[in-house]
Amino acid sequence: MKTIKQPPRTKFIFITGGVLSSLGKGLAAASIGALLESRGLTITMQKLDPYINVDPGTMNPFQHGEVYVTDDGAETDLDLGHYERYTSAKLGQRHNYTSGRIYHSVITKERQGKYLGGTVQVIPHITDEIKNAINQLDGDADVAIVEIGGTIGDIEGLPFLEAIRQFRLDVGRENSLFIHVTWVPYLKAAGEVKTKPTQHSVKELRAIGIQPDILLCRTETLLTPELKGKISLFCNVPTDAVITAQDVESIYEVPLCFHREGLDNKILELLNVWTGAPRIEPWEELIRKIKNPAHRVLIGIIGKYVDLKESYKSLHEALVHGGVANDTQVELRYVNAEDLESKPAKELLAGCHGILVPGGFGRRGVDGKIRAITYARENKIPYFGICLGMQLAVIEFARLSGMKDANSNEFTADTQHPVIYLMKEWFDHRTNQKQVRDESSDMGGTLRLGSYPCDLKQGTLAFAAYGEKSINERHRHRYEFNCAFREKLEKKGLIISGTSPDDTLVEIVELADHPWFLGCQFHPEFQSKPMTPHPLFRDFIKAALEFSRKIC
């Protein structure tokens, strides 16, 4: 890699984490992005993940949480969802790299002879590849925020840390900044806040050549000036660069907490950037609405990954956004789909004002989800089906309409009515090419991924929500509505309210004799933001609120 000779057009902020995982590096990065945008700066963001998988697309949600999909079809870490929700940054393939992807690129180049017979090593070849990935962001925005996944001390993360250490030498201190997220625990037995974990984390970071400029100290209570002074002394960081990252009720309070601590001012000072005062009023108004709702609804979410809420992170937040739009607190009841196979839906879903079946893969829990859909349809409870939730709604309706063995080819080939089937060809409007798949295709990266256009039918719930005829939504699925059964199902009362522009792919279905019953093949949760809630989530919560008033 060539060293940058001219000063970069973009300032770089690198965020690392220490002591333990799940400290909220992603939320911290997103909140910093929000604060810098509030001051008029443009920002872009990137996540570098040390695991060996090429991307998280084939990873178990119990291990990794949600797979977030971007407009260009990248299957990425869930933190990119935080980045896009908190900022106006549009992210894609260039904004999430893993060790697997980096090593794959280097090995491919070696096989092609691009290293001219040289010995390929972690330094410089792997670290140069990482720096190349980071350098792609130069010129995209005023500031690039790069989060390094994992925890200091993880062996697989060392090449990334070495790469950003070198990167600072390449671009200079005035163009780069190191922020370290760490933990300052409160020990109830001793009645004390302990700084030793932070000291050791910073010591380990410094041992590999990185001196953090700012510390974000995750803690239950505000750090006193004395504690900040102690951390400052032992970690070689100025006192005003020791920032309290206090636990909050709502994750949308984090930008405001950081601002009160002076984090945005410190970042601008260290990067030698001048801006106007921040416009944080929208965030203050958002928190006011979240903390002082006028109404309340209960939504039942039927899934099979309910033991790890991170599996439905974007979904959870989109429902919160829908509540904000309706001045409503949205309470969520996660129901294990397999429990519905042995217990009555009336028992598990009692009191719910809306029922949602999210996306998923595989046969497990399908029967329970279908029972939840039947319960919502028969009791006129607002229903929202997303991806698999839309497909199961079609199956449930087809069985009701006389196709007793209606099913999806994902679950069985033994059916005369495969109303959901494996789509083997479709047109990708982004590349202007026909995509071809079959049963033998690789699992990873072969789904219909990313943003696709959809035309809406007037006079439907979908058209009423969006208020426009053409939309674009993000997809992540392998199976589709089988149009061989379209005419028959429409005659029975199924409304096809959204299709691809060429009318070959069904994107949205509704029921004619139900107050609010909608299923969509795409994932609308990926485009919902706290300041601009997604129209379908807004209207779903509105329908749930109206239903709650009817049963009171």
Side-chain angles (χ1 to χ4, degrees), residues 189-246:
E192 293 179 322
V193 174
K194 294 295 184 181
T195 65
K196 193 63 72 177
T198 292
Q199 294 177 41
H200 279 288
S201 183
V202 172
K203 180 181 178 181
E204 191 155 359
L205 194 59
R206 293 174 68 189
I208 57 178
I210 296 175
Q211 167 63 55
D213 301 295
I214 296 174
L215 294 178
L216 296 183
C217 302
R218 182 73 184 269
T219 181
E220 295 180 34
T221 58
L222 280 172
L223 296 180
T224 63
E226 292 76 19
L227 280 171
K228 285 189 175 185
K230 183 178 181 181
I231 293 171
S232 168
L233 178 65
F234 285 100
C235 296
N236 198 34
V237 173
T239 306
D240 65 348
V242 179
I243 306 296
T244 300
Q246 188 177 2

Side-chain angles (χ1 to χ4, degrees), residues 32 35-36 39 177 179 213-216 222 228 239-245 254-270 278 280:
I32 290 169
L35 284 175
L36 296 181
R39 287 177 170 270
L177 185 68
I179 297 178
D213 301 295
I214 296 174
L215 294 178
L216 296 183
L222 280 172
K228 285 189 175 185
T239 306
D240 65 348
V242 179
I243 306 296
T244 300
V254 177
L256 297 175
C257 291
F258 283 174
H259 176 66
R260 286 194 293 268
E261 283 283 298
L263 176 60
D264 45 334
N265 284 325
K266 190 63 182 177
I267 289 173
L268 297 175
E269 173 194 323
L270 292 171
I280 60 172

Side-chain angles (χ1 to χ4, degrees), residues 364-386:
R364 184 168 61 86
V366 162
D367 291 339
K369 294 175 183 179
I370 290 177
R371 289 185 180 183
I373 294 167
T374 301
Y375 180 77
R377 177 180 54 77
E378 292 178 344
N379 292 279
K380 307 297 183 183
I381 301 171
Y383 174 76
F384 194 4
I386 295 174

